[in-house]
Amino acid sequence: MTAHSKITSKGQVTIPKAVRDALGLAEGDELVFEVDGGTLTVRPARKKKTVAEFFAAIDAIDAPRTPQTDLTDDEAIGEWLASEDERIKAYGVREPRP
């Protein structure tokens, strides 16, 4: 995507709505300006997390998984195999799942 904007007399630039929408930018978000030679790159700043937020995220990853069904592993595999058999009958060949 390419968009244009002008610098005001105060050095301000309006980020076009299409760009804000595409990047999910909102009022108050911080941007990083990087200059490399004659090229200016503007990107959203990464949100800084506290140490507590970091460890909470790790704990969430390591948390025990809650089963999504009451089926045993064997029952779930049986259901999956039955659905594969139906797909093979419908299409005549085994097709990859989307």
Side-chain angles (χ1 to χ4, degrees), residues 41-57:
T41 302
V42 181
R43 63 175 174 77
R46 293 187 182 146
K47 306 278 188 218
K48 293 183 180 178
K49 303 257 184 209
T50 65
V51 173
E53 290 172 323
F54 173 76
F55 283 111

Side-chain angles (χ1 to χ4, degrees), residues 23-40:
L23 295 175
L25 297 174
E27 181 180 345
D29 287 351
E30 292 186 19
L31 301 173
V32 175
F33 294 80
E34 297 172 338
V35 178
D36 183 14
T39 302
L40 168 65

Side-chain angles (χ1 to χ4, degrees), residues 4 13 15-16 20 25 27-28 31-32 37 44 49-51 56-58 62 66-68 72-74 84-85 92:
H4 298 269
V13 176
I15 301 168
R20 293 191 316 263
L25 297 174
E27 181 180 345
L31 301 173
V32 175
K49 303 257 184 209
T50 65
V51 173
I58 290 174
D62 290 340
T66 303
Q68 300 297 314
T72 66
D73 288 346
D74 288 339
E84 284 298 297
D85 286 343

Side-chain angles (χ1 to χ4, degrees), residues 9-25:
S9 61
K10 294 183 180 182
Q12 297 172 335
V13 176
T14 298
I15 301 168
K17 183 171 181 354
V19 174
R20 293 191 316 263
D21 290 346
L23 295 175
L25 297 174

